[in-house]
Structure formats: structure tokens, C-alpha cells
Amino acid sequence: MTLYPKLITDALATVVYPGTKKNLIESEMLADTPSINGMKVRIVLLFPRDTDPFLKSTLKAAEAAIHYHVSKEVEVEIQTEFKSAPRPEVEKLLPEVRNIIAVSSGKGGVGKSTVAANLAISLARLGYKVGLLDTDIFGPSMPKMFGVEDVCPYGVHKDGRDLIEPVEKYGVKMLSIGFFVSPDTATLWRGGMATSALKQLIADADWGALDYFILDTPPGTSDIHLTLLQTLSITGAVIVSTPQRVALADARKGIDMYRNEKVNVPILGLVENMAWFTPAELPENRYYIFGKEGCKSLAEEMGVPLLAQIPIVQSICENGDEGTPSALDYETAMGQAFLNLAQAVVTVTNKRNREKPRTPILHVKSD
Ligand SMILES: Nc1ncnc2c1ncn2[C@@H]1O[C@H](COP(=O)(O)OP(=O)(O)O)[C@@H](O)[C@H]1O
Ligand SMILES: [Mg+2]
């Protein structure tokens, strides 16, 4: 039997690449004419990137197709090339990002996302370059808070890589896992899928130069936190809690996680949210619905600063729902409160950077 290129390309035309749902030839993945030497065939297949999920199965299918349609005797050698340059190793990710701040809480519903969004916007208003990543896979809230629920981020080609372009609004570059997965299907995700999606949002996005990269994290401690610690050098954590006892107990657990000797992420401070309620008609009155100054005591006990006390204000909730966070209007008391919080965060971050070395990225030995 004599081999010639068309035999091989016809065989490859029977293999569908799941990424395009078209065959390898139509998908323009065959980089060159197959080179043939006796019964030896060498082909070069071009994939979008080295992390392509269909890589292995496609290579197997291509070889099988040649064996089936041409001859079992053919010795197939497949070389792979990639359109997008490989993802840099973890230590070299985000080289132009100066400070990475995780906004955390033990308990859900204490206002972590509200604080993260308003902090990010206020930092931008102070003139810093700010990025915000919503990592709460089961309850992403940034698309709604930024009023960009219908937006789908597009791709850009930069430095030989295909990158996701963050959405830019209110001076903040923002990405949310919610752009790519709806919360109802998120529950069906296996852990590995969630973490690989999260890694893409960090490593394969065009974050560029940032002074502050704010991470809104899910409640508690989870796989997502572990992935963040294994992927990023987190400058420090801001812990959000209400003064309520259960929230404080969970906040303490959150602090302990970051302070764990293997993790070693400095706690920049606490934010007491829903600190009190003041009715519009009685502006002098403060009602301590969830207890008084619980976060102040926790901050003292833990030896960390209390960065802000944010009251319960109906407009915070409404503005969040409407996609126009309170921080946008610093004429208001709330806008001013978040601006003060941003200033406090800048101060504690600078102090931390003077006093402590860069946080090492967590390496977990797999055995
Ligand atoms: N200080 C506040 N005053 C009034 N409503 C608030 C305040 N902080 C948060 N909320 C509201 O509480 C709900 C939960 O807040 P969210 O930021 O989503 O919490 P988390 O991210 O911790 O789950 C949202 O509807 C939000 O608008
Ligand atoms: Mg949230």
C-alpha cells in the first residue's frame, strides 16, 4: 500500500473537534500537509491552547481514524501546536498587580459582596487602578450589583495569548463567575470544574496593571479559598461581619483560616456591617439590632483594626439591587462611609507592605 496525503486528510475529516463541533479539517486544525515516509505519517495539529480540555481525546480520535480509514499498519505521529501561548506559571501570574485583597466573612448574607463592590468603587474614586473578581460560584452577585447582568465579556488576543477582557464599569475592571455559569447549574459542578473556571478568570484574563485587586469570596472556607491561596499571593484579608454573635463566631473561624501558619495571610482589618439602624425620621437615634460593637470587641481580641462601621441603610440594599452601589455618590453619608473605608484600607495595606514580606503562595503537597 502507498500512502498519500489525501488519504490522511480524508480520515481526519471524519474526526469532529468538540470545541467547534466541526471536523479537524474544517476547524483548520491541520497545520501542514501530512508528511509521509513509507508507512510512517507525521501530522501537526493546531489547538487553541495547551489547556484545551479536548486535547487528549482529539489526538486519540485522530489516530484511530487513520487506523480505521487508511490502515492499521500506519505508524502515526502527532505533534501539537497552540494558537495561544501557554499560561504563565503561578509565581509569574499578574506581574503588574500590586495588592490583592480578599474580602471574606464566615457567614453568608452579612454584606461581604456589598462591602467588596463599594470598596472597589471607592478605591477607584481615590484614583487607584482597581480590579474586582467575584469568586462566589454559588451566589455570584457582582453582575447585578454593577448592573451588567446581560453583559458577556469578550476575548482579546494579547502577547500571544487569548484572554478574557474584564467588564469595565464605575472605574473598576470586573469579572464574575456569574458571567459564565448560572447559580442553578453551579450546584451540579464538580469541585474541579469550579476551580478550573476560577483559575481561568485569574490567569487567562486581561487584568493588566492594578493597584488593588479585590476578591469577593464565598462564605466560610471552601475549595474556592484554597484555589485562591494556591494561585495568588494575597496581600491581606478584610473580614466582614455583623455584630451578631453567630456572625462573629464565624468571622473568628475565617480569621483563623487566614492566620493558619501554613496560610499566613495578614488580616488587614474588620468591617462591621449592619452595625446599627437609624430611622430617617429620628436621625439621632441608633438601634443596635444585632448587638452593640461586637466587631469592636472581636477586633481588640484578635489585635486587628476595625476599619469601618456601616449602619443598616435601606438605600444600600436598593442601590445594590439597582446596579448603582452607594459608593457612587459620595455626597451621601453612605458614599462617604465607603470612601473612608477605602482610605483606611489603603493605610493598613501600606503599613502591612512596610512591615511584612510578600505573602507566599500556598503549596499543598499532593501525596
Ligand atoms: N449596611 C446594609 N444596609 C442595608 N442592607 C444591606 C447592608 N449590607 C448589605 N445589605 C443587603 O443585605 C443583603 C446581603 O448582602 P451581600 O452583600 O449580598 O452579603 P454576602 O455577600 O455576605 O452574602 C443584600 O441584599 C444587601 O443589599
Ligand atoms: Mg456575596
Side-chain angles (χ1 to χ4, degrees), residues 26-27 32 49 55 77 81 104 112 122 150 166 168 175 189-190 193 197 266 271 298 304 312 316 328 356 364:
E26 287 168 334
S27 308
D32 223 331
R49 56 175 62 80
L55 184 76
E77 185 197 332
E81 279 180 12
S104 270
K112 184 171 12 71
S122 302
D150 301 327
E168 201 156 346
L175 275 179
W189 282 32
R190 286 177 292 113
M193 289 167 76
V271 173
L298 181 63
V304 297
I312 299 173
I316 292 188
L328 289 172
K356 294 194 174 100
V364 176

Side-chain angles (χ1 to χ4, degrees), residues 112-113 136 139 141 216:
K112 184 171 12 71
S113 301
D136 194 345
S141 39
D216 182 20

